[in-house]
Amino acid sequence: MTVPTFTYVERKDIEEILETLLNDNPNHCKDTVIAVLTGIAGTGKTRIAKRFFDEYTYLFWVSGSRSDAKTYLTTELKKPDDDGDFSIRDSLEKLEDWILVIDDLTDESIKEYIPETNGHVIITSRVRLDWGITVDVGEMNTDEALELLLGTEPITENAKQIVEELGHIPLAIARARQLNLPADCLLEYVQSHPNEFDNLAIWNSAFNKIYNENTIAIQILCGLSYTPTDKIN
């Protein structure tokens, strides 16, 4: 059986917003712009962030969910020619045209390490932060979802029903495509194996319900580092 090859599906509306934010000032210069891609697990925040890597001379990537994220920042971003007391702000501000990506941020105190000039920061997070400019990342539109599921294959009514069943969530659609079944068989599989995909739908539904109602509860959920991929993969 041939495993399907995945290509990145553009999220045009989201990427255009992010592009405008990051390129409002020419030459990626002066005041640092912080864009926060916010949304529930499985919506493709990290993949969107990666689309902007090639536009910068220097790229720095940090896992924001690490318990030792601060230590990681101060060691991984230290430049060999740094002398004396180390400061991430000082180190990156010596450069120009850099981007720092903090993926899956759970500890807002990392804010103190963000440089103020000469670069850009993209943060992905399942919670809304009190800093930066928020860009909401939700489910795909129908065209995007079908492209992720089918690639260049012809669109069918079964395929449309599949993406509807999966709620247009990239993670669930990618999992369905990995099964590498014809659309009619895949639809039957999705409908007859709800538990394989329902954990994602249940998680997303619960997350959405309390998203703007109980900040403390959301922080606790994220602190548990639970992600639907634990059950889907």
Side-chain angles (χ1 to χ4, degrees):
M1 180 180 294
T2 303
V3 177
T5 301
F6 288 85
T7 57
Y8 178 78
V9 176
E10 289 186 5
R11 307 289 296 276
K12 292 182 180 179
D13 291 345
I14 297 171
E15 290 180 27
E16 286 177 3
I17 293 172
L18 194 53
E19 187 80 42
T20 298
L21 288 176
L22 297 179
N23 294 288
D24 219 13
N25 294 322
N27 303 319
H28 303 309
C29 284
K30 305 311 175 186
D31 292 347
T32 295
V33 176
I34 302 174
V36 184
L37 300 179
T38 304
I40 53 183
T43 53
K45 300 182 295 295
T46 301
R47 292 296 300 272
I48 293 171
K50 289 179 178 179
R51 289 290 285 172
F52 292 83
F53 287 1
D54 293 338
E55 299 182 16
Y56 295 83
T57 305
Y58 302 97
L59 163 66
F60 302 92
W61 180 278
V62 176
S63 173
S65 61
R66 292 170 57 116
S67 59
D68 61 342
K70 293 180 185 177
T71 301
Y72 182 80
L73 276 166
T74 56
T75 55
E76 290 298 308
L77 299 190
K78 183 175 176 62
K79 293 187 62 58
D81 58 352
D82 284 336
D83 295 319
D85 294 335
F86 172 70
S87 164
I88 289 178
R89 287 179 184 265
D90 293 342
S91 181
L92 288 187
E93 286 174 1
K94 291 176 183 176
L95 305 175
E96 289 187 359
D97 196 31
W98 56 264
I99 185 168
L100 168 63
V101 178
I102 305 177
D103 190 39
D104 195 19
L105 180 63
T106 58
D107 182 1
E108 289 197 50
S109 67
I110 287 178
K111 179 181 179 181
E112 66 184 276
Y113 295 102
I114 304 300
E116 297 181 341
T117 61
N118 289 339
H120 291 149
V121 178
I122 297 179
I123 295 170
T124 73
S125 180
R126 284 173 280 174
V127 297
R128 291 187 179 277
L129 306 179
D130 292 331
W131 44 289
I133 302 171
T134 298
V135 179
D136 290 315
V137 180
E139 68 274 9
M140 289 179 150
N141 63 39
T142 300
D143 290 340
E144 294 166 347
L146 287 169
E147 184 179 348
L148 178 59
L149 179 68
L150 299 172
T152 59
E153 295 296 317
I155 296 173
T156 65
E157 289 302 316
N158 283 337
K160 292 179 182 179
Q161 192 170 345
I162 290 168
V163 298
E164 289 292 333
E165 292 273 351
L166 298 177
H168 296 75
I169 301 297
L171 179 63
I173 295 169
R175 169 62 185 127
R177 186 175 177 184
Q178 285 178 333
L179 296 173
N180 202 23
L181 297 171
D184 55 343
C185 297
L186 182 57
L187 175 59
E188 182 179 348
Y189 183 91
V190 169
Q191 293 174 331
S192 61
H193 293 75
N195 290 338
E196 186 168 347
F197 302 95
D198 275 357
N199 66 89
L200 179 60
I202 292 170
W203 170 256
N204 286 344
S205 176
F207 210 103
N208 277 332
K209 183 174 178 58
I210 61 176
Y211 199 78
N212 294 314
E213 298 177 7
N214 193 327
T215 303
I216 295 176
I218 289 293
Q219 295 288 355
I220 292 173
L221 286 172
C222 289
L224 294 174
S225 296
Y226 174 83
T227 174
T229 56
D230 295 335
K231 297 279 184 75
I232 287 181
N233 288 338

